[in-house]
Amino acid sequence: MTTTSQSAGKNRVLTGDTPTGRLHLGHWVGSVEQRVKMQDDYDCYFLLANMHAFTTRADQPGDIRQDTLEIVKDWLAAGIDPVRSTIVLQTEVPAIAELSWYFAMLIPFNRVMRNPTLKTEIETKGLGDSYPFGFPMYAVGQCADILAFRPEFVPVGEDQVAHIEMCREVARRFDQLYCGVDSHAEDEAYEQSGAVFPVPKALVGKVGRLIGTDGTNKMSKSLNNAVFLSDTPKQVKKKINAMYPGQSREPDEPGDPSINPVFQYADVFIKDEAFVAELRERYTKGDNLGDGHVKAHVIEAVNELLEPMRARRAEYEGPGGDDAVIDIIRAGTARANATAEATLYAAKEAMKLDFGRRDLNWR
Ligand code: TRP
């Protein structure tokens, strides 16, 4: 059995999503597109962070369950291949919960509370000071989500980088305390120095922050400014056509593409860069280019991206669709447990907790 970040000659990748609803274009350009590509070259683990969903929605177990299934449908639609990649259900990987406890001993409470991603979330979700203990705990849990699989890379959106940084600190601390790794060792040297945990690296997608259809905020389900991967062609058209182009102008009047959010979409979704450059030039000059025209090109490009996703999603939308998704989750989670248990016992051995070994045999 392989116990390092290498498996079958491929380095490992882990990332995940908290099931909060359907995935949108911001998720696609921020992370999902990269995951789909990485499947060719890496041993990929994609985690359903359903335990984390309980940090803010403990009173909605039914919704969390349904959101979990939806997100897998989005992944499959987007091109995640459950044969080559491993889909992991967080709540059925006990090694993650156990490692969370050990890691919680290695990180100062105040360090967790200073985590800027947690602070932003407390603000934007209006959690005030009434959030549960488990809310900040999830950041420690996320270190365990990652390290249980000993990946080399963690592809994430920009907002997650602070969590990955904390995870890197935890890995170094563990390896220094329990594996005798020198505190001056380079991150890359950890594995050769007897570490249990490699120091993983965040990989941020090509667009860290995709603007929403409101033209001002980051695309987000809760702000009602998202184009979902599962939207119909009609919904895509309606949402993009309703966007304010940042200015009011006639087709023959000069315009400023840099304050028009539709141009960010043009840059990101229209593949032909020369064509986008030409649109930009004509818009700037006022060369008979209306806002409706720019939008029409963007709508076409977005629909071209989403069309194959809609087709793949349709396979799981009829009767029996949820059961097929659950089978995929179970098969992936069984594989994931083999990896995570191996990590857990390597960690316990390093911590002198080698009192015996359970056989999980999860099905
Ligand atoms: N916190 C991440 C989010 O809300 C989801 C997540 C949980 C995750 N565990 C992870 C991402 C491990 C990367 C690695 O999007």
Side-chain angles (χ1 to χ4, degrees):
M1 188 180 295
T2 331
T3 52
T4 70
S5 69
Q6 289 220 319
S7 158
K10 287 182 176 175
N11 283 337
R12 282 195 196 138
V13 158
L14 176 131
T15 189
D17 291 315
T18 307
T20 54
R22 290 166 299 155
L23 295 181
H24 53 62
L25 290 177
H27 294 115
W28 170 256
V29 296
S31 172
V32 179
E33 179 178 22
Q34 200 172 25
R35 299 179 199 178
V36 171
K37 288 202 189 113
M38 290 187 98
Q39 297 183 110
D40 296 332
D41 301 314
Y42 293 89
D43 181 22
C44 294
Y45 290 81
F46 300 118
L47 177 100
L48 297 159
N50 62 332
M51 175 110 69
H52 292 188
F54 282 82
T55 60
T56 54
R57 297 197 291 155
D59 56 339
Q60 300 160 38
D63 289 352
I64 294 174
R65 184 188 174 87
Q66 203 48 46
D67 286 346
T68 304
L69 300 180
E70 284 309 309
I71 224 163
V72 177
K73 289 179 195 176
D74 276 333
W75 285 355
L76 297 168
I80 300 288
D81 170 4
V83 176
R84 278 186 298 161
S85 298
T86 303
I87 291 179
V88 188
L89 184 69
Q90 190 180 42
T91 50
E92 286 307 330
V93 181
I96 291 176
E98 288 176 63
L99 286 170
S100 301
W101 261 101
Y102 301 131
F103 293 161
M105 316 300 174
L106 303 184
I107 180 159
F109 179 75
N110 289 322
R111 168 69 181 91
V112 176
M113 299 316 289
R114 274 199 313 270
N115 178 313
T117 299
L118 285 186
K119 281 189 171 174
T120 312
E121 265 181 292
I122 290 169
E123 245 169 66
T124 56
K125 294 181 182 163
L127 303 181
D129 52 12
S130 64
Y131 52 80
F133 188 82
F135 178 74
M137 181 66 191
Y138 101 70
V140 181
Q142 185 155 340
C143 301
D145 295 338
I146 298 168
L147 295 177
F149 298 93
R150 293 191 268 191
E152 180 181 18
F153 294 116
V154 188
V156 283
E158 213 168 55
D159 60 314
Q160 295 294 306
V161 172
H163 287 329
I164 313 308
E165 196 44 50
M166 228 171 74
C167 170
R168 291 158 56 80
E169 288 172 30
V170 166
R172 291 188 199 105
R173 180 110 180 98
F174 186 101
D175 293 333
Q176 290 169 19
L177 269 185
Y178 301 122
C179 312
V181 175
D182 188 280
S183 63
H184 301 294
E186 301 280 331
D187 289 344
E188 291 70 28
Y190 269 62
E191 282 201 85
Q192 300 99 281
S193 315
V196 169
F197 297 109
V199 183
K201 290 182 268 304
L203 276 186
V204 178
K206 76 175 176 198
V207 183
R209 181 183 186 278
L210 187 73
I211 204 162
T213 53
D214 59 3
T216 32
N217 296 296
K218 182 181 157 179
M219 187 175 283
S220 143
K221 179 196 160 208
S222 55
L223 293 174
N224 237 325
N225 65 0
V227 175
F228 295 101
L229 300 186
S230 52
D231 277 350
T232 62
K234 237 176 147 171
Q235 285 169 314
V236 171
K237 192 169 170 188
K238 196 169 160 205
K239 288 178 183 179
I240 292 175
N241 272 333
M243 285 175 76
Y244 178 60
Q247 57 217 291
S248 142
R249 61 180 275 281
E250 295 299 325
D252 56 358
E253 283 172 3
D256 182 358
S258 72
I259 58 166
N260 182 346
V262 182
F263 270 95
Q264 191 198 9
Y265 291 3
D267 282 333
V268 174
F269 297 109
I270 298 177
K271 289 193 195 116
D272 185 345
E273 283 174 29
F275 180 70
V276 178
E278 190 192 313
L279 285 181
R280 186 170 255 119
E281 201 186 309
R282 287 179 54 201
Y283 196 85
T284 307
K285 282 190 195 148
D287 180 11
N288 193 28
L289 181 65
D291 282 290
H293 270 99
V294 182
K295 288 177 178 174
H297 288 300
V298 168
I299 290 164
E300 189 189 310
V302 169
N303 275 326
E304 200 181 298
L305 169 72
L306 299 187
E307 201 44 51
M309 298 192 196
R310 292 182 188 117
R312 279 191 294 266
R313 201 176 214 284
E315 293 174 36
Y316 300 96
E317 258 161 3
D322 283 3
D323 290 340
V325 170
I326 291 168
D327 283 345
I328 288 171
I329 293 174
R330 294 176 71 84
T333 304
R335 239 154 54 203
N337 267 319
T339 306
E341 287 285 294
T343 306
L344 176 70
Y345 281 96
K348 282 181 150 178
E349 204 174 299
M351 297 174 78
K352 309 212 178 302
L353 293 170
D354 48 339
F355 292 103
R357 194 166 172 151
R358 71 180 172 222
D359 180 4
L360 188 59
N361 195 19
W362 193 84
R363 275 156 291 149

